[in-house]
Amino acid sequence: MNHRIACVIKNMESMGLTQLLVSDPMSIRYLTGVYVEPFERLYAFLIRTDGEHTFFLNHLFSVAETGYNEVRFSDMDDQIALLAAHIQKGKLGIDKTFTARFLIPLMERTGITPILASQAVDDCRAIKDDEEQELMREASRINDRVITQAFNAAKAGMTEKELADFIDKTFLAEGASGPSFPTIVSVGANAADPHHEPDDTTIKDGECVLIDMGCVYKGYCSDMTRTFVIGQPADPEFTKVHDLVRQANEKAEAIIRPGIPLSTIDAAARDFLAENGYEKEFNHRLGHFIGQTDHEQGDVSATNENLTVPGMVFSIEPGVYLPGRFGVRIEDLVIVTEDGCEILNHVEKKLQTI
Ligand SMILES: [Mn+2]
């Protein structure tokens, strides 16, 4: 049995479950190596603690023999009946993506008690094994190369959209399969909105340019933010804020090691910015877990008391946002190691004036 399925079974046992229906395509790929985009069709992998695991596959999915028990069906079959035939009485773990239109008929036919058990898989996914860590390092190396090219391409008069398009194209040229989320380029006051969507605003001398970008490499994501200026910053407060945000980022990264609450890492950045007068202006959590999707279960926030474990990968992204003026965010990804952390991004964090 592979170590990822073994991890899930261990979690199922501690939850008192003998069967778990996994429907998240990313989770199924994580566990079996099989990836399908099922759209609205039924797609599931049933894990049982006795080792009898079963795939439920539509003939329209082009999937070679999986090595597990398989139930293959067509659109014309009674799919719920096929599924029900493999489910034992009692409790059935399901994950959060299994939709009501399958779950409710399944409950009606089998009388099972569904238990929300995404955690059994998500807790395993949160701790990346060596193979995953290597893919995430490469995704971040590509991200580093592409942002460097974006710095070189950026010039006054270019629109946010043009720079974002340049980044998305360059991802492909550098070996990524595409962006891991819609690329953010925001200029000047637009940067005060953490999730600004690139528009026709042009880059201007003296205004900040915030780039938040990430790519997918062999199914794994990167994510990084840098904020720079073309020429000399026009707003007298900008340089000071940039320096404080960079220090907040570095202070948080400096304390990361196994066995500390994630909330302590959030506090390292948040308290420092608060002491310097920017408490309200840092209006989001410090970071999020990342892996096969840009945001995975788990975050680095004031309320998450869970302890760090080697292999966790998350972002450290403090920001200060001054509405109507500018915003600064500086973000790296880190892997928790046995004695500290490995920072996956190596692009200069000090203010770059281009
Ligand atoms: Mn992020």
Side-chain angles (χ1 to χ4, degrees):
M1 181 178 10
N2 81 49
H3 68 276
R4 295 178 184 175
I5 293 180
C7 174
V8 173
I9 287 179
K10 203 169 143 226
N11 290 341
M12 288 169 64
E13 284 168 348
S14 67
M15 296 168 90
L17 288 171
T18 58
Q19 48 182 358
L20 169 65
L21 199 55
V22 181
S23 66
D24 177 351
M26 300 294 193
S27 291
I28 295 176
R29 176 173 61 188
Y30 170 77
L31 295 168
T32 67
V34 173
Y35 181 72
V36 162
E37 168 48 74
F39 298 102
E40 77 286 7
R41 290 189 161 86
L42 177 67
Y43 176 53
F45 182 61
L46 178 67
I47 300 182
R48 281 189 6 187
T49 49
D50 66 4
E52 284 295 315
H53 313 314
T54 307
F55 251 110
F56 295 88
L57 296 160
N58 195 299
H59 290 304
L60 292 175
F61 307 153
S62 52
V63 174
E65 208 178 304
T66 61
Y68 297 96
N69 303 325
E70 293 176 357
V71 176
R72 297 206 181 224
F73 49 81
S74 77
D75 286 350
M76 282 65 79
D77 288 322
D78 181 349
Q79 299 174 12
I80 298 299
L82 293 172
L83 193 53
H86 286 79
I87 306 280
Q88 296 171 323
K89 295 251 168 299
K91 290 195 285 186
L92 171 68
I94 54 155
D95 65 8
K96 57 186 180 283
T97 57
F98 194 59
T99 60
R101 72 175 180 284
F102 299 133
L103 177 60
I104 291 171
L106 184 67
M107 288 167 65
E108 286 167 356
R109 293 217 200 165
T110 58
I112 50 108
T113 306
I115 306 285
L116 186 59
S118 298
Q119 205 77 26
V121 184
D122 291 346
D123 284 353
C124 300
R125 280 178 57 178
I127 296 165
K128 273 65 182 175
D129 59 30
D130 292 347
E131 184 188 337
E132 294 180 292
Q133 290 182 28
E134 196 41 47
L135 294 174
M136 296 195 74
R137 277 187 199 99
E138 184 56 24
S140 281
R141 279 184 212 116
I142 295 171
N143 213 20
D144 281 0
R145 292 203 297 272
V146 174
I147 203 170
T148 305
Q149 293 179 54
F151 286 158
N152 294 333
K155 52 179 189 293
M158 198 175 197
T159 68
E160 293 174 348
K161 256 194 219 155
E162 285 167 349
L163 189 53
D165 287 348
F166 171 86
I167 290 165
D168 292 352
K169 265 198 314 237
T170 311
F171 276 144
L172 301 180
E174 288 290 339
S177 53
S180 51
F181 59 91
T183 301
I184 297 174
V185 175
S186 38
V187 171
N190 291 346
D193 168 9
H195 288 149
H196 173 72
E197 234 176 90
D199 60 25
D200 293 326
T201 306
T202 53
I203 296 173
K204 290 169 206 73
D205 251 18
E207 287 199 11
C208 72
V209 183
L210 182 155
I211 300 180
D212 185 349
M213 55 187 270
C215 64
V216 182
Y217 175 73
K218 295 190 178 170
Y220 282 81
C221 298
S222 54
D223 187 356
M224 163 177 49
T225 308
R226 292 290 184 270
T227 311
F228 63 99
V229 177
I230 305 271
Q232 288 309 307
D235 193 311
E237 208 175 327
F238 180 81
T239 306
K240 175 183 139 192
V241 167
H242 192 284
D243 197 52
L244 290 171
V245 172
R246 175 184 56 81
Q247 288 187 62
N249 167 288
E250 290 172 351
K251 281 177 190 297
E253 290 175 353
I255 65 159
I256 299 171
R257 60 179 192 281
I260 62 169
L262 288 152
S263 57
T264 303
I265 305 170
D266 182 273
R270 196 169 304 282
D271 293 351
F272 173 74
L273 289 171
E275 282 158 23
N276 284 280
Y278 296 101
E279 183 173 11
K280 285 198 303 290
E281 291 77 7
F282 176 23
N283 58 9
H284 54 72
R285 64 188 178 187
L286 184 63
H288 55 86
F289 281 51
I290 179 169
Q292 298 180 86
T293 56
D294 179 47
H295 287 201
E296 288 197 343
Q297 178 201 253
D299 67 13
V300 186
S301 68
T303 53
N304 191 349
E305 302 296 330
N306 290 335
L307 303 183
T308 49
V309 173
M312 285 180 170
V313 182
F314 47 77
S315 66
I316 296 295
E317 47 180 310
V320 166
Y321 308 95
L322 302 183
R325 293 169 64 193
F326 62 82
V328 176
R329 182 165 64 254
I330 299 175
E331 171 184 25
D332 297 315
L333 295 188
V334 302
I335 303 180
V336 180
T337 60
E338 294 299 330
D339 56 0
C341 79
E342 176 185 343
I343 300 168
L344 298 190
N345 297 101
H346 304 286
V347 176
E348 179 61 55
K349 286 189 259 202
K350 287 202 174 124
L351 180 59
Q352 304 294 297
T353 53
I354 298 176

